[in-house]
Amino acid sequence: AQTVTQSQPEMSVQEAETVTLSCTYDTSENNYYLFWYKQPPSRQMILVIRQEAYKQQNATENRFSVNFQKAAKSFSLKISDSQLGDTAMYFCAFMGGATNKLIFGTGTLLAVQP
Amino acid sequence: DAGVIQSPRHEVTEMGQEVTLRCKPISGHDYLFWYRQTMMRGLELLIYFNNNVPIDDSGMPEDRFSAKMPNASFSTLKIQPSEPRDSAVYFCASSPIAGGQYNEQFFGPGTRLTVL
């Protein structure tokens, strides 16, 4: 069975600084996808970035980038130039095999301080 | 498109009552998912449908929970009878046909259920 682990329940960063959120996963699948979702206080789940396991190049979306280490089964999220609007819960998620099931980590609550 | 629509946004009920949560997926999406979010268990998949057919209901906690998708534009999640431990935020999500490849899941705003 696949598992996703986020070992940082809470993190804090100063505005304009850079922060990295950690995620590790376990799977026997070779073909899978990894995601970071953001959940602000509004509760809406928002896809931040995704990574296909077969791609070696790390995904980037504006200020958000990932460090995907397939052998280590690690998938961290880097947020550059943090903004107050980045304050949210961040979930790492896995989708693999023949299903479309998303398996979520427990989340990291990120607070961006002014 | 209006996105995934869920109703009600908030529901407060008493233990033992029947609760029905509703979801309208994005038009043209073939997959529909029901998730539950609690502090204790985080986000967990309850059930998902493909072309209105339940594919995997292994996450449904017990017989008190049931889900239906009578047509491509409507799904319900029913809890009967409800218990205080069912209090959670319930999300519905939909995605286009996968065909073995990834397709993004679009989440609704969620229904916050409180069972007293």
Side-chain angles (χ1 to χ4, degrees):
Chain A
Q2 291 88 359
T3 59
V4 178
T5 301
Q6 293 179 251
S7 58
Q8 305 154 314
E10 296 184 24
M11 293 193 72
S12 181
V13 64
Q14 292 295 124
E15 198 175 5
E17 297 294 307
T18 294
V19 63
T20 298
L21 309 183
S22 301
C23 173
T24 58
Y25 60 94
D26 190 26
T27 183
S28 59
E29 299 286 347
N30 195 46
N31 186 26
Y32 53 88
Y33 303 88
L34 295 163
F35 310 87
W36 280 97
Y37 279 86
K38 170 184 177 181
Q39 187 178 39
S42 67
R43 221 170 52 209
Q44 182 71 46
M45 294 290 289
I46 303 165
L47 179 63
V48 174
I49 197 167
R50 70 171 185 263
Q51 174 79 43
E52 292 88 342
Y54 63 86
K55 290 186 177 179
Q56 291 185 333
Q57 186 173 4
N58 289 323
T60 299
E61 290 286 344
N62 300 314
R63 298 182 295 107
F64 299 86
S65 61
V66 299
N67 183 4
F68 174 48
Q69 302 289 328
K70 190 172 184 179
K73 295 180 179 171
S74 171
F75 183 62
S76 61
L77 174 69
K78 185 172 80 171
I79 306 174
S80 304
D81 185 25
S82 298
Q83 301 176 359
L84 296 178
D86 296 334
T87 292
M89 182 74 85
Y90 287 81
F91 292 95
C92 178
F94 170 98
M95 179 191 295
T99 76
N100 284 334
K101 296 169 65 170
L102 275 172
I103 298 170
F104 287 91
T106 51
T108 296
L109 181 61
L110 176 67
V112 180
Q113 307 292 344
Chain B
D1 200 314
V4 176
I5 299 172
Q6 291 187 247
S7 64
R9 293 293 307 276
H10 300 90
E11 176 81 22
V12 180
T13 190
E14 292 188 346
M15 183 174 62
Q17 296 297 306
E18 177 181 295
V19 175
T20 300
L21 311 182
R22 297 173 175 80
C23 175
K24 177 179 169 56
I26 294 173
S27 178
H29 283 192
D30 297 284
Y31 285 82
L32 184 138
F33 306 82
W34 282 101
Y35 292 90
R36 179 172 68 174
Q37 185 177 29
T38 62
M39 290 294 293
M40 291 296 294
R41 300 176 65 89
L43 268 159
E44 51 183 346
L45 177 68
L46 300 178
I47 185 171
Y48 78 94
F49 296 82
N50 179 19
N51 288 324
N52 312 335
V53 176
I55 302 301
D56 186 343
D57 65 355
S58 60
M60 295 286 265
E62 48 196 276
D63 292 344
R64 296 184 298 106
F65 286 69
S66 63
K68 294 182 179 180
M69 193 166 186
N71 57 62
S73 59
F74 184 65
S75 177
T76 60
L77 178 67
K78 186 176 293 187
I79 308 173
Q80 166 63 21
S82 58
E83 297 182 2
R85 59 193 169 116
D86 301 330
S87 296
V89 179
Y90 291 82
F91 287 99
C92 177
S94 70
S95 72
I97 190 168
Q101 297 178 355
Y102 159 77
N103 276 291
E104 180 180 347
Q105 292 186 21
F106 295 81
F107 283 76
T111 295
R112 179 177 292 277
L113 173 65
T114 302
V115 183
L116 303 175

